[in-house]
Amino acid sequence: MHNRPSKTDLFKGRHFEQEIIVLCVRWYLRYKLFYRDLVEMMAERGLPIAHTTILRWVQRYAPEFDKRWSRFSAQAGTSWRVDETYVRIRGQWAYLYRAVDELGKTVDFRLSTRRNVASAKAFFRKAVRSQGRSPETITLDGYAASHRAVRELQQQGRLDALAKLRSSKYLNNLIEQDHRNVKSRLGAMLGLKSFSSAATTIRGVELMHRIRKGQFDLRAFPTQGQTTPEIWAAVLAA
């Protein structure tokens, strides 16, 4: 049994109501807003909030929101398009490994300081754990390290030995287009200051992207006619 705090305990001790915290975090991760934009928006509602407070909320709650939503995550398909994209963190490049299935649904993602065989293997292990199964087809670009990572994992039994490995720029257009949705949000931020904070922020941005793509099974909730805040409240409380 998971010792997960209740929704009330999750926000215990905060000076603002939980609805305000969820709203600020959700809007920051979803829309191209700066922290100071949210400060102004909340001030118009009579809520004086410092931008550093919202920053702390994002770092504190993005992982928790991801955990709670992921309980209702629908499984992606078994044909994976895998690619890496670049993210700038405090003036240094980091590498965001991502995969989508044949319908464009997010399989998984992983931020890494390096782009090599070890990083690719770590991404595939994480993706297999999150999906609970190995892919049947893996489509990569021409980068040799990713191909080697797949072959080694197959030899080790961490990926299905019968999984088809292919290289196709045309088929990988799907993941490259999907990168743009995530990077457009990250690009509007005033710089990611550390690897850990960047990883947390990206986790929240990826969550919002999955929600937009309808990757959650919410049949247990009466979502018909419900507003977005009401749906969020139900998921967090479940």
Side-chain angles (χ1 to χ4, degrees):
M1 180 180 295
H2 296 288
N3 187 22
R4 184 171 53 246
S6 68
K7 184 186 172 195
T8 301
D9 290 340
L10 185 62
F11 298 98
K12 189 175 181 179
R14 299 292 172 177
H15 295 297
F16 292 89
E17 294 182 1
Q18 58 192 35
E19 290 79 8
I20 299 300
I21 297 174
V22 174
L23 182 67
C24 286
V25 174
R26 181 167 61 83
W27 280 1
Y28 179 74
L29 296 172
R30 169 64 181 87
Y31 302 108
K32 294 180 182 179
L33 296 170
F34 299 119
Y35 288 120
R36 295 186 189 278
D37 292 331
L38 284 167
V39 169
E40 290 184 23
M41 294 165 70
M42 293 301 110
E44 289 186 5
R45 293 161 172 78
L47 297 169
I49 305 175
H51 74 278
T52 52
T53 297
I54 301 175
L55 184 155
R56 288 194 294 270
W57 288 347
V58 170
Q59 293 299 306
R60 167 64 181 88
Y61 290 107
E64 187 66 36
F65 292 170
D66 180 54
K67 288 178 186 177
R68 293 183 180 233
W69 272 91
S70 291
R71 292 172 294 160
F72 308 101
S73 181
Q75 202 171 44
T78 57
S79 179
W80 295 2
R81 274 73 160 162
V82 182
D83 189 34
E84 316 89 48
T85 189
Y86 299 87
V87 178
R88 199 166 185 82
I89 303 173
R90 208 173 184 83
Q92 301 293 322
W93 290 113
Y95 306 91
L96 181 59
Y97 285 79
R98 303 183 69 251
V100 298
D101 68 9
E102 67 277 14
L103 299 178
K105 295 181 179 179
T106 301
V107 173
D108 211 335
F109 62 94
R110 182 178 185 273
L111 185 65
S112 174
T113 57
R114 298 179 183 274
R115 185 186 185 218
N116 54 23
V117 175
S119 297
K121 290 171 74 172
F123 166 74
F124 278 109
R125 289 194 296 266
K126 180 175 182 287
V128 169
R129 285 196 304 271
S130 69
Q131 292 297 313
R133 62 184 178 184
S134 181
E136 296 176 359
T137 304
I138 302 171
T139 305
L140 302 170
D141 60 12
Y143 187 53
S146 297
H147 288 260
R148 179 180 166 188
V150 170
R151 290 194 299 269
E152 290 185 3
L153 288 172
Q154 287 178 314
Q155 293 168 1
Q156 297 165 5
R158 304 297 294 270
L159 284 174
D160 187 346
L162 298 178
K164 180 181 178 182
L165 177 61
R166 60 189 179 183
S167 180
S168 170
K169 184 172 179 58
Y170 168 74
L171 291 175
N172 257 21
N173 282 341
L174 190 63
I175 179 66
E176 291 174 3
Q177 291 291 330
D178 200 72
H179 285 332
R180 295 180 184 179
N181 290 285
V182 172
K183 292 193 72 174
S184 66
R185 178 64 196 103
L186 297 176
M189 296 177 180
L190 288 175
L192 298 167
K193 304 304 183 184
S194 70
F195 185 87
S196 61
S197 65
T200 297
T201 302
I202 290 170
R203 185 173 176 180
V205 171
E206 291 278 6
L207 169 63
M208 299 305 297
H209 191 39
R210 289 161 63 208
I211 292 173
R212 286 180 64 198
K213 291 193 284 188
Q215 290 190 226
F216 296 91
D217 184 356
L218 301 180
R219 288 176 293 180
F221 303 102
T223 57
Q224 187 70 28
Q226 298 292 300
T227 65
T228 297
E230 288 170 337
I231 293 172
W232 268 77
V235 170
L236 296 181

